[in-house]
Amino acid sequence: MELNMTLKQTQTLSPQMMQSMEILQMGSQELLEYIEDLVQENPTVEVEENYSRLDEFNQLKRKLEWLDANDHQNRYYHQQDQEDSQNDPLSNYGTVGNEEENLYLYVSSQLPSLAEPLASAARLLVESLNQNGWLDETLEALAQETGYPLPVLEEALAVVQSLEPSGVGARSLRECLTLQIKRRPGGHSLALAIVDQHLDALAKSRFGLIAKETGADPEEVRDACALIKSLNPKPGTGFAARENLTYINPDIIVVHFPDHFELLTNDYFFPTLSLSSYYRGLMKETEDPEVKDYLTNKVRQAKWVVRSIEQRRTTLLDCAEAILKLQESFFRKGPGHLVPMTLADVAELVGVHESTVSRAVKDKYIQCSGGVYPLSYFFSRGLGSAGAGSGEDAASPDFAKALLKKLIAGEDKKKPLSDQKLCERMAAEGCKLSRRTVAKYRDELNIPSTTGRKEYE
């Protein structure tokens, strides 16, 4: 039996390092829940009000005015910034205000004062609306189930269909469009006739056939069809079920000044953690070894959590700065101007490993004048070189989709481009894709095929 000595180097992760990595990849809501659990479990941790951040908070609100002027979506966040966080810094995060309305509350709030049983029948119909704002069940079936006389339900339905949003309470696509057209001033008899008798031809853009069968001028038919296509076939889709309402608090805010960008971390709502002076004093004064060990471990844990949270903030800001630098064209010009960018590109600029970047951007969001985007949105592979004069070194899926929309918008609607022709046109612009990929992107953009885009005489 021989005894050999070998020397080798291994790397192990301490529990503290693992905890630091877990905190790094936490989203804002998850981190707040973690802090709340920590405060409950660790007696040495105290939560301080963030009065020291008030000046920074006010500065953030002023800078958001630029964003507020550019994007309606950002007004929500600007309004949220002005709300008082009450006594508990964790209490208002991720909650939905009681004033939020779903479709049922919105429609029922408009019901006029009605006599019974008409009032209760109208409330029944509002409760029966599906998520699209349509009435699925027939009045005959409802009358049989509920015992309301059919004439009462018909009168109640007329009341519901007079409310907002226009088209609510419809029982079919034809009725939904008809209700909306009748709300339009000026009278649109041709549009009503097309909805009533020529919906199939309208779906295929067969304007010539509609003009021939209605005897109307082709130009008038095109205008009437354009009006119909501008209507909302699902009037209830602008509302969400109350239990499904979700709001995103961005982690990073990009403020676009005339000559530069500025990044702000949106962490004013996080509580400030500190060590309890009472327990620190007790740790020094106690002679009980068990108490001393317990408090020592808890203080060490608290210090490491505070350090990890600050490290998370720094790493996230560094990654956001790198993304801003690499995707500056997007932040200046908007969607359609993303360039290919990988985790390795950001990691090289920040000076960390790719896995660190991956954890830092996980479940994090950035707000700019164009809206709120997940940080992962900015990472995409290259598709080859972009077109001449595009100003980009390579094309990305975002660039390809923008180019595809541009080509389709400029095509001859009587002879729309096939996916193969689009593929060739995009290749001529320097964005080489397979026909299958072009079809995939077209579907993702909800653009119909050649048949669906063709306008017939």
Side-chain angles (χ1 to χ4, degrees), residues 3-9:
L3 295 177
N4 296 323
M5 181 179 294
T6 59
L7 182 64
K8 64 178 181 179
Q9 189 175 22

Side-chain angles (χ1 to χ4, degrees), residues 292-310:
K292 194 175 190 65
D293 288 343
Y294 173 80
L295 293 177
T296 300
N297 291 332
K298 291 301 182 181
V299 168
R300 186 183 298 115
Q301 178 197 29
K303 288 181 177 180
W304 189 264
V305 169
V306 171
R307 188 181 301 113
S308 298
I309 292 175
E310 181 58 32

Side-chain angles (χ1 to χ4, degrees), residues 11-183:
Q11 183 178 13
T12 59
L13 294 177
S14 66
Q16 290 82 3
M17 290 298 297
M18 294 178 64
Q19 183 185 53
S20 180
M21 289 189 297
E22 290 175 359
I23 290 176
L24 177 61
Q25 67 183 8
M26 288 180 183
S28 297
Q29 178 64 44
E30 188 179 0
L31 180 58
L32 277 167
E33 293 174 356
Y34 176 83
I35 292 175
E36 189 174 27
D37 291 340
L38 176 70
V39 172
Q40 296 295 326
E41 182 268 336
N42 192 331
T44 67
V45 178
E46 291 182 346
V47 174
E48 295 181 359
E49 297 290 348
N50 290 330
Y51 298 118
S52 60
R53 297 187 184 180
L54 184 59
D55 292 338
E56 181 182 350
F57 179 32
N58 290 332
Q59 182 185 27
L60 173 63
K61 289 196 295 183
R62 289 195 298 271
K63 291 179 179 179
L64 275 174
E65 292 176 1
W66 279 276
L67 297 176
D68 186 46
N70 290 328
D71 181 22
H72 172 76
Q73 182 181 188
N74 291 319
R75 292 175 188 164
Y76 169 77
Y77 301 106
H78 184 57
Q79 293 167 357
Q80 285 295 101
D81 290 341
Q82 302 177 46
E83 294 182 357
D84 185 5
S85 62
Q86 306 295 331
N87 295 324
D88 182 4
L90 304 176
S91 61
N92 291 333
Y93 183 80
T95 59
V96 179
N98 292 331
E99 71 278 2
E100 295 293 342
E101 294 179 325
N102 56 21
L103 178 64
Y104 165 72
L105 293 175
Y106 181 73
V107 177
S108 60
S109 66
Q110 303 173 55
L111 287 173
S113 298
L114 302 170
E116 292 294 346
L118 184 60
S120 57
R123 288 194 295 269
L124 168 70
L125 294 180
V126 175
E127 293 173 355
S128 302
L129 297 176
N130 63 20
Q131 62 182 4
N132 294 326
W134 289 19
L135 185 64
D136 287 333
E137 297 185 77
T138 65
L139 295 184
E140 291 77 9
L142 286 174
Q144 186 175 2
E145 292 174 6
T146 62
Y148 287 105
L150 184 58
V152 172
L153 289 176
E154 290 174 345
E155 187 178 354
L157 180 60
V159 172
V160 173
Q161 291 181 345
S162 68
L163 306 177
E164 295 292 339
S166 180
V168 70
R171 291 161 290 180
S172 66
L173 174 61
R174 182 173 283 104
E175 185 176 25
C176 182
L177 298 177
T178 299
L179 289 171
Q180 295 181 58
I181 293 173
K182 288 181 177 179
R183 297 273 192 100

